[in-house]
Amino acid sequence: TDGRGIFRVYSPEMGSKMRRYHYLLEEMRLALGSNNFSLSFQPIVHVDDCSIDYFECLVRWHHPVEGTITPTEFIPIAEESNLILELGDWILFEACRQMSAWYNAGMTKVRISVNISGVQLKHRKLYDWVIETIEKAGLPPKALMLEITESCFIEASRETTESLQKLREKGITIAIDDFGTGFSSLCTLAELPVDVIKIDKLFIDQANDNPKYNKILNSISELGKDLNLKVVAEGVECAEQFELVRKMGIQCVQGYLVSKPETSNNVGTKVLRTNLN
Ligand code: C2E
Ligand code: CA
Ligand code: CA
Ligand code: CA
């Protein structure tokens, strides 16, 4: 209350948050029309030989005045305003177009992975949208993977789940992202149409110091293996964490230890060269 017993529902801080929200929303609309978004690519590698399994595609926004704006700030705004639909169409096509170019240049063993938001699951006809996009980009289905967060999986309609199943049958890989943070009951894992679980960075951060997180990480890894899912550890930043997940038998890692997200040009020159030799 403000001291006079009146409940204040509008604080100055809220005002500035609202202003920032509307500002970024307007700027995002402009950015969509003027080429200010780009994609960066981060490799996910096999623990045993460090070969690349796939690249996760991460959107970047270069604002002419503000500089780089982080997706953790603008993706939630894009989702709340449904602008993620338009932005997400661009991201999926651009990712597929880039991967198709790499594929045709000889990079046929790796896939590209695209983050799909809950809003897209709700408003896009998932199966048709994805299949039409890969066809337009000339990308084989086996070269595409979709990452869907655990919490979106829990909220997904039956229709969405069926679309995901049909996409899998076409050869597209489906991953549960941020696994361990969405509070799904573990037995729903048996029901979901997925191939990969990505264990949230939180567990990797905590596991070396906190025995409880260590045990949970180990259990998720065992469960994944028992269910024949590929397990990926997110956010591996140091050798100690890499060693820990290797000992637990986790197959793949992603993190700054291996590589930060890179521009398509860097990926092209580094990976295509080593891959083709
Ligand atoms: P996410 O899907 O969990 O993506 C992984 C995030 O962790 C990325 O942040 C990546 O740069 C970061 N990361 C990877 N390795 C490390 C590490 O070793 N240490 C640390 N500290 N971070 C690491 P980024 O690119 O800032 O993206 C943040 C989130 O924004 C993503 O989390 C995802 O939820 C969302 N996002 C990014 N790009 C897209 C997109 O194209 N579409 C949608 N719908 N969401 C996106
Ligand atoms: Ca992701
Ligand atoms: Ca993640
Ligand atoms: Ca995350």
Side-chain angles (χ1 to χ4, degrees), residues 17-27 77:
K17 269 195 185 148
M18 291 282 282
R19 272 198 301 278
R20 177 95 178 144
Y21 176 96
H22 289 292
Y23 169 68
L24 289 180
L25 186 54
E26 259 332 290
E27 293 296 303
I77 299 174

Side-chain angles (χ1 to χ4, degrees), residues 1 30 37 68 74 98 154 164 168 183 223:
T1 70
L30 293 174
F37 288 104
T68 303
F74 71 80
Q98 179 61 72
I154 300 166
L164 289 170
R168 281 181 81 203
F183 308 105
L223 183 71

Side-chain angles (χ1 to χ4, degrees), residues 3 49 88 93 95 118 120 124 126 130 136 159-160 166 170 174 180 197 200 229 263 267:
D49 62 0
F93 178 71
Q120 293 170 286
R124 285 279 173 265
L126 191 65
V130 172
K136 195 168 124 201
E159 205 187 332
T160 300
K166 280 196 331 191
K170 276 267 180 177
I174 311 291
I197 48 182
D200 196 76
L229 299 169
T263 63
V267 171

Side-chain angles (χ1 to χ4, degrees), residues 42 56 59-60 71 91 115 177-178 201 234-235 237 255-256 261:
Q42 189 179 29
E56 178 171 6
V59 66
R60 295 290 176 259
I91 293 170
N115 291 288
D177 204 357
D178 299 346
K201 180 176 190 306
E234 276 189 343
E237 292 180 342
Y256 295 169

Side-chain angles (χ1 to χ4, degrees), residues 54 56-58 113-116 147-149 177-178 198 234 254:
Y54 69 93
E56 178 171 6
C57 171
L58 297 156
S113 183
V114 179
N115 291 288
I116 305 293
E147 297 194 8
I148 296 163
T149 62
D177 204 357
D178 299 346
K198 298 188 75 175
E234 276 189 343
Q254 170 176 19

